Amino acid sequence: NSGSPVCVETEWFTSRNGAEESASGQMSYINRSLGDGERIVAIGRFHWLYSAKAWLAVILPLLLLIAAYIYADESSRRALEIGALVLLAIGIIVFFRLMIRMWTTEIGITSHRFVKKTGLISLHTNEFALTNIEGVKVTQSFLGRIFGYGHLRIEGTGDDAFDIPTIADPVGFRRGIETAKGMK
């Protein structure tokens, strides 16, 4: 998972009361957890290749099913159709697994802390006060450099460290961390 490109392309807008909300009208966890005087500096987004990978998990078996139906002879058509249907079922599971992860993950930097929230039914958060962040490691593969995605590891004081999913523009997100640390 850490090597695959991840991109959350959620549309955000500012509501009448100034809070950031998703296009569906739901206020983000990060916004709901802001303290007095705290503001959002940067939001991490999954890369578009992440959702493309999820869609391909459904589209490729569907194309195989269509090709089996159109081009296969009678003797092999049934076996190819069953195989394609099995792959389609697996593709649908993969699609929802990837997309639910994308839809339910928030990664952001505020003027006071780093926040990563995951979870659909239960809520899991990882937060670091900016003063406790000692380093940020950016890792980008060759394709990651070309397409603009990468992986971050945020290291805190002591043994605290955690990895965040591969995001779009990891260097820009790291710059957001440094910008927020300089706001103090």
Side-chain angles (χ1 to χ4, degrees):
N1 257 352
S2 65
S4 61
V6 173
C7 174
V8 177
E9 295 297 336
T10 305
E11 295 297 320
W12 297 94
F13 62 93
T14 304
S15 65
R16 281 183 234 149
N17 66 0
E20 189 176 89
E21 298 180 3
S22 71
S24 65
Q26 292 180 312
M27 187 181 295
S28 75
Y29 167 81
I30 296 172
N31 274 309
R32 290 191 319 264
S33 68
L34 290 175
D36 290 337
E38 188 175 17
R39 67 179 185 84
I40 294 174
V41 175
I43 296 289
R45 306 271 188 225
F46 284 80
H47 193 271
W48 63 267
L49 283 174
Y50 183 81
S51 55
K53 183 173 68 170
W55 280 104
L56 282 175
V58 174
I59 292 171
L60 290 179
L62 207 62
L63 292 175
L64 182 61
L65 181 63
I66 292 168
Y69 182 73
I70 293 173
Y71 298 112
D73 60 7
E74 282 297 319
S75 62
S76 61
R77 178 179 294 156
R78 189 72 181 150
L80 287 173
E81 287 175 349
I82 290 172
L85 285 171
V86 168
L87 289 176
L88 181 60
I90 292 169
I92 290 169
I93 291 168
V94 168
F95 173 83
F96 280 109
R97 182 178 170 271
L98 292 173
M99 296 306 281
I100 287 171
R101 178 180 185 212
M102 186 177 89
W103 294 328
T104 62
T105 300
E106 293 180 41
I107 302 166
I109 300 294
T110 73
S111 52
H112 296 91
R113 61 200 161 106
F114 166 83
V115 181
K116 176 189 168 197
K117 174 262 188 203
T118 59
L120 175 63
I121 296 172
S122 60
L123 175 71
H124 303 280
T125 63
N126 288 319
E127 300 186 20
F128 265 142
L130 291 178
T131 56
N132 292 339
I133 295 176
E134 289 186 347
V136 179
K137 291 184 178 180
V138 177
T139 305
Q140 282 186 293
S141 66
F142 175 71
L143 288 177
R145 300 242 342 168
I146 291 172
F147 290 110
Y149 64 85
H151 177 78
L152 290 172
R153 177 174 177 83
I154 303 202
E155 298 175 341
T157 54
D159 291 332
D160 288 339
F162 56 88
D163 299 317
I164 63 173
T166 309
I167 60 171
D169 192 15
V171 175
F173 192 76
R174 182 187 182 285
R175 187 173 46 252
I177 292 171
E178 297 305 321
T179 299
K181 285 174 80 171
M183 296 172 86
K184 292 286 178 185

